[in-house]
Amino acid sequence: MDYLNAFWIGGLICALVQILMEKTKLMPGRIMVLLVCTGAVLGALGIYGPFLEFAGAGASVPLLGFGNTLFQGVKEAVDESGILGPFTGGFRAGAAGTAAALVFGYLASLLFSPKMKK
């Protein structure tokens, strides 16, 4: 059942974002920022935690989950470091995912020889 919940929740998030892209004139970069900020706000309000428990990877993999991860990292760092927490917490929390994306993106570029669009 966990796999099914992850699948349909992740698909629903992606479908809603696709509708947002098709029906508005928002640029993709702005939509990405909107998703990250929404995830952080939902985490701050305490809504994203139960949603994450229910949906698992369906909620943690999209950009909403990245925003929540950044918020949780900042929250923990503020508790530990005080005033420096907002500056270091997000980097520490998001470092593994960001590094993995860079490494796997680079490996994919070596394997598949990407070309620039004309």
Side-chain angles (χ1 to χ4, degrees), residues 58-82:
S60 66
V61 171
L63 283 174
L64 289 169
F66 183 66
N68 182 56
T69 299
L70 291 177
F71 169 74
Q72 296 301 327
V74 167
K75 185 174 134 184
E76 290 173 12
V78 165
D79 292 340
E80 293 173 9
S81 306

Side-chain angles (χ1 to χ4, degrees), residues 41-66:
V41 169
L42 291 175
L45 296 174
I47 297 170
Y48 209 80
F51 179 61
L52 186 60
E53 286 182 29
F54 173 74
S60 66
V61 171
L63 283 174
L64 289 169
F66 183 66

Side-chain angles (χ1 to χ4, degrees), residues 29-43:
R30 291 186 182 193
I31 293 173
M32 290 170 51
V33 169
L34 179 69
L35 289 170
V36 172
C37 291
T38 301
V41 169
L42 291 175

